[in-house]
Amino acid sequence: MAKVKKAYFCQNCGAQSPKWVGKCPSCNQWNTFVEEIIEKESDQKNWQTTSITPTISKARKLKDIATDELSRLNTHSEELNRVLGGGLVPGSVILLGGEPGIGKSTLLLQLAMQMNHLDVLYVSGEESEQQVKMRAERLNITSDDCYFLTETNVQKIFQQVKEVKPKVLVIDSIQTLHSDHIDSAAGSVSQIRECAGEFQKFAKQTHTSVFLIGHITKEGSLAGPKILEHMVDTVLHFEGDRNYGYRILRTMKNRFGSTSELGIFEMSSTGLREVSNPSEILLSQRDENLSGIAIAASMEGMRPMLIEIQALVSSAVYGTPQRSTTGFDARRLNMLLAVLEKRSGFRLSMKDVFLNIAGGIKVDDPAIDLAVVCAILSSNEDVEIDQKICFAAEVGLSGEIRSINHIEHRISEAQKLGFESIVVSKYNNKSIHNTKKGIRVVAVSKIEEVFRFVFG
Ligand code: TYD
Ligand code: MG
């Protein structure tokens, strides 16, 4: 009988140690080491244990390597193509993380069925064939080339892969898989690392693209060792507020494209629908002007979108005023309030301030500062802002209005959506003159100037 080998693994970063330690020497987290069984050193740790002979790698000149092997596959989803940097790279491994019920399985099943010019194998360790079939029927897409398999054993999955020879492989989810080479339970650090490693080797050797679905922990990071994120080529995050139908797909890491891209989807009764004009959903429909609302011309990645900022300023009932935000950094709100207080003389220190970004999205673009300030002032003065004005500028610590990037994109998006004026920083002026006419660009340098323009 083979001797059972055990080792301790850090559940946070995947570091290995022969004995238990209280503090992980590599990531400095306390109490993260858990004993796991590793065994069978005699086994070949390779996805293709028998049939295919391994190719011998040879050093080649970079200029001799043909890139047409890498022409990207079209996923037939504009949003997904954009997030992946222009399509799916053959041989890449993509990790998709997200909270339970956010729509990871739906997104990838939809993808598997849309790519019907290629063979796709969808492997689920979580749902049965009938359950997936039911979901597929709901999605209203028909596909002739989508294979399905319920399996959790990696070696058995590879047996099926050899038969089907798919171009794209989807694994739902990496935490449910187990490999024969390792004896610890599915979902443990050593299992996740081993399984991901086998899929990575498989993807590189056969030029098959592999999607791995990953669960995330309570804290919001991907469950499993950090090393998992290093092993894959692309890490995508699927997020959204469950109370809203919108889902945002973000790139956290991408070896083949920019990480500033994002895709927006809407969950409907027939699956995920792509949202190609996000401003439409982010601007709430209203007939009358209300105080405390300002529109910011923001950018997410390379995508301009207009979002609505709502503020409520009221006298504090208790001694300490409350400051509460949704979708915006609370420290940044405090900073902006301090600037208004100190530099512009608005008395807000005894007021409760609530700030909300409509649509349930989170924004960290500094260019929405000015809209935040205007929403607060509008609520404080109880004077509404004209619905045809939007804002795009950062506010500095001395109350100065600072310039921001991609100003032309923001202006043309605002113009497209029918805004009549946009308030920007004076220091942006140089790059503005080549934008189209049809919208009034108001250049300002101080909060007082904005105040005078907006509230008369
Ligand atoms: P799912 O893809 O199972 O989430 P995950 O794999 O990330 O856990 O999505 C489940 C949710 O999506 C579920 O709450 C119901 C909703 N949903 C719809 O609203 N419409 C649909 O057509 C489908 C398939 C799911
Ligand atoms: Mg799922």
Side-chain angles (χ1 to χ4, degrees):
M1 206 182 97
K3 193 169 162 277
V4 175
K5 261 178 63 177
K6 290 177 178 174
Y8 290 86
F9 288 92
C10 170
Q11 301 295 302
N12 185 47
C13 69
Q16 189 179 348
S17 159
K19 60 180 195 333
W20 190 84
V21 277
K23 183 182 177 186
C24 173
S26 93
C27 69
N28 290 334
Q29 292 290 310
W30 287 93
N31 215 6
T32 53
F33 273 83
V34 169
E35 185 183 42
E36 290 180 7
I37 304 162
I38 46 170
E39 213 200 4
K40 297 181 185 170
E41 58 271 35
S42 60
D43 274 339
Q44 272 179 284
K45 288 197 172 183
N46 206 334
W47 67 273
Q48 7 121 302
T49 23
T50 44
S51 61
I52 307 169
T53 44
T55 48
I56 298 159
S57 351
K58 234 176 96 195
R60 282 201 284 171
K61 283 189 178 164
L62 203 53
K63 70 173 167 71
D64 297 336
I65 299 172
T67 48
D68 53 60
E69 292 164 19
L70 279 183
S71 65
R72 293 175 185 249
L73 308 173
N74 184 358
T75 63
H76 291 270
S77 157
E78 221 179 279
E79 303 291 302
L80 198 59
N81 279 347
R82 173 181 318 120
V83 169
L84 293 173
L88 187 56
V89 175
S92 63
V93 182
I94 296 137
L95 180 64
L96 173 68
E99 286 189 12
I102 202 81
K104 303 180 293 296
S105 309
T106 310
L107 179 72
L108 291 186
L109 185 64
Q110 223 167 310
L111 165 98
M113 298 181 40
Q114 272 164 1
M115 296 182 80
N116 52 11
H117 52 302
L118 295 171
D119 284 345
V120 184
L121 174 60
Y122 185 99
V123 183
S124 179
E126 300 188 342
E127 283 156 290
S128 69
E129 287 172 8
Q130 285 73 25
Q131 286 168 327
V132 173
K133 179 75 188 177
M134 262 164 62
R135 189 196 293 259
E137 275 167 4
R138 261 180 91 173
L139 297 177
N140 257 342
I141 321 171
T142 44
S143 166
D144 303 332
D145 304 316
C146 180
Y147 293 83
F148 178 75
L149 172 70
T150 313
E151 184 56 71
T152 53
N153 182 297
V154 177
Q155 282 70 30
K156 289 192 183 138
I157 293 175
F158 282 128
Q159 274 172 15
Q160 290 300 308
V161 164
K162 275 180 206 158
E163 270 174 37
V164 174
K165 295 202 175 55
K167 282 273 173 255
V168 180
L169 177 64
V170 178
I171 304 291
D172 187 2
S173 63
I174 184 83
Q175 276 87 0
T176 56
L177 298 189
H178 65 93
S179 163
D180 286 342
H181 302 310
I182 299 259
D183 255 2
S184 57
S188 63
V189 169
S190 45
Q191 273 296 2
I192 293 178
R193 192 167 56 180
E194 171 68 22
C195 297
E198 294 198 25
F199 281 111
Q200 198 223 19
K201 264 181 266 163
F202 160 74
K204 299 296 170 232
Q205 289 176 5
T206 60
H207 294 290
T208 309
S209 303
V210 179
F211 279 94
L212 303 173
I213 291 183
H215 294 171
I216 63 171
T217 61
K218 245 190 354 269
E219 292 81 36
S221 60
L222 274 153
K226 260 271 171 293
I227 198 169
L228 185 58
E229 288 170 49
H230 290 293
M231 278 161 117
V232 300
D233 299 302
T234 306
V235 179
L236 303 179
H237 232 271
F238 206 33
E239 58 188 43
D241 199 316
R242 217 176 289 214
N243 301 326
Y244 297 88
Y246 319 119
R247 301 284 185 270
I248 295 176
L249 188 63
R250 275 182 211 279
T251 341
M252 313 307 275
K253 161 184 174 178
N254 193 355
R255 288 194 181 140
F256 312 111
S258 142
T259 52
S260 55
E261 291 299 354
L262 97 181
I264 301 180
F265 296 87
E266 188 180 358
M267 184 61 94
S268 68
S269 55
T270 54
L272 289 157
R273 188 181 69 85
E274 297 185 19
V275 176
S276 40
N277 187 356
S279 303
E280 261 170 28
I281 56 166
L282 295 174
L283 297 179
S284 62
Q285 266 63 52
R286 60 197 150 97
D287 299 329
E288 51 188 324
N289 282 346
L290 301 169
S291 70
I293 294 179
I295 311 292
S298 164
M299 296 277 285
E300 276 282 4
M302 287 307 290
R303 259 179 126 175
M305 53 173 94
L306 279 102
I307 53 176
E308 185 177 303
I309 317 282
Q310 304 176 336
L312 179 67
V313 180
S314 67
S315 302
V317 185
Y318 304 107
T320 326
Q322 299 183 58
R323 269 81 216 262
S324 148
T325 60
T326 325
F328 188 71
D329 183 9
R331 278 171 304 181
R332 189 133 192 114
L333 172 67
N334 284 333
M335 185 212 98
L336 293 174
L337 290 173
V339 169
L340 284 177
E341 180 98 29
K342 171 100 181 165
R343 304 285 175 193
S344 314
F346 293 99
R347 298 271 154 253
L348 296 168
S349 58
M350 285 317 291
K351 301 270 176 82
D352 287 341
V353 179
F354 303 96
L355 192 79
N356 179 19
I357 294 189
I361 64 160
K362 282 194 205 70
V363 184
D364 53 8
D365 179 8
I368 73 168
D369 281 359
L370 189 58
V372 169
V373 163
C374 288
I376 292 170
L377 294 181
S378 160
S379 177
N380 190 41
E381 308 290 315
D382 203 14
V383 179
E384 66 268 26
I385 299 173
D386 188 346
Q387 283 186 40
K388 295 282 170 212
I389 302 180
C390 63
F391 304 87
E394 188 183 340
V395 175
L397 281 182
S398 51
E400 82 276 21
I401 309 294
R402 304 174 55 129
S403 64
I404 43 161
N405 52 10
H406 305 300
I407 190 76
E408 293 94 342
H409 281 92
R410 300 176 200 255
I411 295 176
S412 45
E413 178 76 5
Q415 185 204 6
K416 221 166 35 190
L417 290 169
F419 283 87
E420 285 164 8
S421 341
I422 179 166
V423 183
V424 302
S425 163
K426 196 169 91 182
Y427 307 104
N428 260 129
N429 239 344
K430 287 175 248 78
S431 48
I432 291 173
H433 47 251
N434 45 14
T435 50
K436 294 165 236 96
K437 291 278 170 289
I439 182 165
R440 183 173 163 210
V441 178
V442 183
V444 292
S445 61
K446 283 211 183 70
I447 290 182
E448 292 77 69
E449 290 171 43
V450 187
F451 192 80
R452 247 177 278 128
F453 171 73
V454 175
F455 303 106

